[in-house]
Amino acid sequence: MADEPGRPAGVHRPGDRIYRPVRRPTGPSALPTEVVPSQERQRGTAAAHRPGDKIVRVVRGRELTLRRVIGIGGLFATGYGNVGSSIYYALGVTTLFALGAAPLALGVAGLFFILTVLTYTEATVAMPEAGGASSFARHGFNEMVSFVAGWATLMSYTVTISISVYSAAGYMAVFFPVLKQPAPHVAVAVAAIVLLMALNILGIQEATGFSLLFAAIDLAIQVVLVILGTMFLLNIDRLISQVNFGVAPTWPDFVYGIAVAMVAYTGIETISNMAGEARAPARTVPRSYAGLIFAVLVLFIGISTVALSAFPVECVDGRCSTELATTYLDDPVAGIAERMPPPFNHILAPIVGILASSILLIAANAGVIGVSRLAFSMGAHQQLPHVFTRIHSRFGTPYIAITIFSVAAVLLVLPGSITQLSEAYVFAAMLTFTLAHLSLIGMRVRKPGLYRAFKVTLGLPIAGRDIPLTAVAGCLGTASVWVLVVVTYPFGRWVGLGWMALGIALYVLYRRRLRLPLGATVSAIPSLTMVPLERPYGEPPPQEHSGRPTRT
């Protein structure tokens, strides 16, 4: 048998390896079931080998890395394009519970946002790779914890698709009033998800520059709304008088309002997932996160105070509410634009409708892209079956992963409730953030000598390890909100727990089938690819890599 044209059988090159079939000690009739390296060492260019040996050639592939081309402006704009879009739906659901104290609820939630950003900044700079909390957990704990974090992140991405598309349909009502009705509203949202799914399977994505342009315009319009609202709508006395803790809102409702307000900070992982493409991540990631904190907190609190000046809380027969939580629940920022004095209302209302719909659809599309990339990465680490990594032969996209999670997004949007979608998102996001905080603590304990260009200095020395107090406080806060959702929100509880139970069962069964340890990191793409040059008689030819792990 000849391994190459012109090369006789039994002759191989320097660097080739010999693998010899052996019999398991189960009886004289046992068939060869595995191969092990022979004890012989090659010496020269034509070392002989025994009949039946298998020669394989080690082919070292070039390491594939992403180009680091994104600077501070690109990271900030992309991050704000995702986080900034959440105010278009978070304001209404936060006001539904917190009433006139909605700005304070957003502020308290903003403190947890800051603590979480600090955790993501340190962990991302230390490990500048895609994956977010899943990657942090891999380094801080093990592969199973990494899966739990990744699966929760997949849920948050999926809910982001649903809630962004549902809200986009609500803002289109300024041009199509029929969308104020539940059935058409849901139908348009479902159609939009199907369209985004098809576009991503075909490989058609919006240009990065286009997304950044819309993020910049969105930021400018929100600044304009705050400035004009301060000039024409702001009423400090009204803001103070409509807050009566214990009555409007009640203390339980205010706590619920803080929990729901966490939905306003959708998209924290965006910058972390782009770290692999960032220029000098030790410098660009912290600065872009710092800009994101300032812009988000100032604008979100500013917009909420203007909104409650325009739509004050009114109490009738002991029941208190505001139009932000009723008429404009699905499109609260559109209500602010309509309350502006002429001619600003006539100018801003259609602009807000177009811009909000566009930025929300871009955020939904980013969710589709994020869920497909993360699912592919998890499949490459043997956390998900290889079907999630299957690439379309024509379009070169992970079409099965895109389809599965898009269908899940459709199912979530069918009830037609922005509050239920918010519950599901808070469940997933708080679980993800809690694991991110714990993973940073785990990285401090397991890898104390790891170089950290950015490090939170506020720490507590325990057993020779520097434990970050910001991560401890953030973990306690996000874990408390997660427990609150599980205890008090039926939709978020059952959807979230069902999602996690399904994922963990899938992970355990898949790993058991492959006989892989639950906590071990195993890549489906080996660093050394063995290319057969000869094979024993009767052995089938090598098959195309299927995504399963290669054992040598």
Side-chain angles (χ1 to χ4, degrees):
M1 182 186 306
D3 56 350
E4 291 180 354
R7 182 178 294 276
V11 179
H12 50 88
R13 299 176 181 175
D16 291 351
R17 298 181 181 180
I18 300 175
Y19 284 74
R20 176 156 299 140
V22 297
R23 297 177 182 273
R24 294 184 187 274
T26 56
S29 62
L31 295 175
T33 56
E34 62 179 345
V35 294
V36 297
S38 71
Q39 300 301 317
E40 302 175 5
R41 299 300 182 197
Q42 301 181 98
R43 301 183 183 278
T45 61
H49 58 274
R50 300 177 185 176
D53 286 354
K54 180 179 181 180
I55 302 177
V56 295
R57 175 158 302 147
V58 180
V59 179
R60 296 183 182 273
R62 183 178 62 183
E63 183 181 2
L64 298 179
T65 58
L66 297 172
R67 295 178 58 196
R68 295 190 178 274
V69 296
I70 303 177
I72 297 174
L75 290 173
F76 169 80
T78 304
Y80 192 82
N82 284 271
V83 180
S85 65
S86 61
I87 192 63
Y88 290 109
Y89 50 80
L91 179 58
V93 292
T94 302
T95 308
L96 179 64
F97 293 99
L99 296 175
L104 185 58
L106 286 167
V108 174
L111 295 177
F112 297 123
F113 169 69
I114 294 173
L115 296 175
T116 304
V117 165
L118 290 175
T119 289
Y120 270 82
T121 303
E122 178 176 329
T124 301
V125 171
M127 297 291 179
E129 57 190 37
S134 179
S135 175
F136 307 159
R138 180 175 298 113
H139 296 288
F141 293 101
N142 57 37
E143 200 67 20
M144 186 165 188
V145 180
S146 171
F147 169 80
V148 173
W151 190 250
T153 306
L154 286 176
M155 180 179 173
S156 67
Y157 276 135
T158 304
V159 180
T160 297
I161 299 169
S162 302
I163 197 170
S164 297
V165 166
Y166 185 82
S167 298
Y171 280 92
M172 293 178 187
V174 68
F175 305 105
F176 308 102
V178 68
L179 294 180
K180 288 288 187 181
Q181 303 300 319
H185 192 155
V186 172
V188 170
V190 170
I193 294 175
V194 173
L195 177 61
L196 290 176
M197 178 186 72
L199 291 178
N200 279 273
I201 290 176
L202 295 175
I204 302 174
Q205 301 174 5
E206 83 285 356
T208 302
F210 184 73
S211 298
L212 299 184
L213 176 63
F214 263 87
I217 296 174
D218 175 58
L219 178 62
I221 291 297
Q222 290 183 11
V223 170
V224 169
L225 285 174
V226 171
I227 293 175
L228 293 180
T230 302
M231 294 172 57
F232 299 113
L233 300 177
L234 185 62
N235 189 321
I236 301 297
D237 293 336
R238 179 182 296 173
L239 287 173
I240 297 175
S241 63
Q242 63 186 332
V243 178
N244 185 9
F245 284 111
V247 178
T250 62
W251 285 110
D253 283 344
F254 179 66
V255 174
Y256 297 158
I258 295 174
V260 174
M262 295 300 297
V263 78
Y265 304 108
T266 303
I268 292 178
E269 289 216 350
T270 304
I271 294 176
S272 177
N273 285 329
M274 297 180 66
E277 303 169 70
R279 289 198 306 264
R283 177 177 57 87
T284 56
V285 171
R287 293 185 181 181
S288 57
Y289 265 131
L292 189 64
I293 290 174
F294 177 79
V296 165
L297 292 182
V298 171
L299 288 176
F300 281 18
I301 294 176
I303 289 176
S304 61
T305 55
V306 169
L308 285 166
S309 296
F311 301 100
V313 175
E314 297 179 354
C315 296
V316 178
D317 297 330
R319 301 188 61 181
C320 301
S321 184
T322 169
E323 287 186 74
L324 283 175
T326 54
T327 306
Y328 296 102
L329 177 63
D330 295 333
D331 53 350
V333 180
I336 298 174
E338 292 178 6
R339 280 297 175 95
M340 293 288 180
F344 299 108
N345 57 345
H346 302 301
I347 298 173
L348 288 175
I351 291 177
V352 168
I354 294 174
L355 181 63
S357 301
S358 301
I359 202 72
L360 286 166
L361 287 175
I362 290 174
N365 191 56
V368 177
I369 297 172
V371 80
S372 62
R373 285 184 176 180
L374 181 56
F376 188 89
S377 173
M378 293 172 68
H381 283 90
Q382 292 302 301
Q383 295 180 349
L384 291 174
H386 70 279
V387 67
F388 287 90
T389 65
R390 188 171 297 170
I391 302 297
H392 196 282
S393 58
R394 179 179 177 184
F395 304 118
T397 54
Y399 65 105
I400 294 181
I402 293 174
T403 302
I404 290 174
F405 292 104
S406 295
V407 170
V410 169
L411 295 177
L412 286 172
V413 86
L414 287 179
S417 172
I418 194 74
T419 56
Q420 290 182 343
L421 289 173
S422 300
E423 294 172 15
Y425 176 79
V426 173
F427 177 99
M430 293 306 101
L431 179 56
T432 302
F433 296 163
T434 299
L435 291 174
H437 290 303
L438 290 174
S439 298
L440 179 61
I441 297 172
M443 290 170 65
R444 289 280 190 99
V445 172
R446 296 183 64 189
K447 300 181 178 181
L450 180 68
Y451 173 71
R452 295 171 172 86
F454 177 91
K455 182 179 180 180
V456 178
T457 57
L458 186 60
L460 179 65
I462 299 178
R465 299 292 188 266
D466 188 25
I467 306 301
L469 293 180
T470 55
V472 174
C475 178
L476 292 175
T478 55
S480 299
V481 173
W482 183 79
V483 171
L484 181 66
V485 172
V486 171
V487 172
T488 59
Y489 296 147
F491 186 86
R493 174 174 64 248
W494 295 119
V495 169
L497 293 178
W499 178 284
M500 297 307 300
L502 175 64
I504 293 173
L506 180 65
Y507 176 82
V508 172
L509 291 174
Y510 179 60
R511 285 255 166 166
R512 292 302 186 197
R513 184 172 70 85
L514 297 182
R515 299 180 181 178
L516 297 175
L518 295 180
T521 299
V522 181
S523 176
I525 304 175
S527 57
L528 298 178
T529 303
M530 300 299 184
V531 181
L533 299 180
E534 282 188 6
R535 60 180 183 273
Y537 178 77
E539 179 178 329
Q543 301 295 321
E544 182 180 356
H545 178 63
S546 63
R548 295 189 175 94
T550 301
R551 295 189 179 187
T552 57

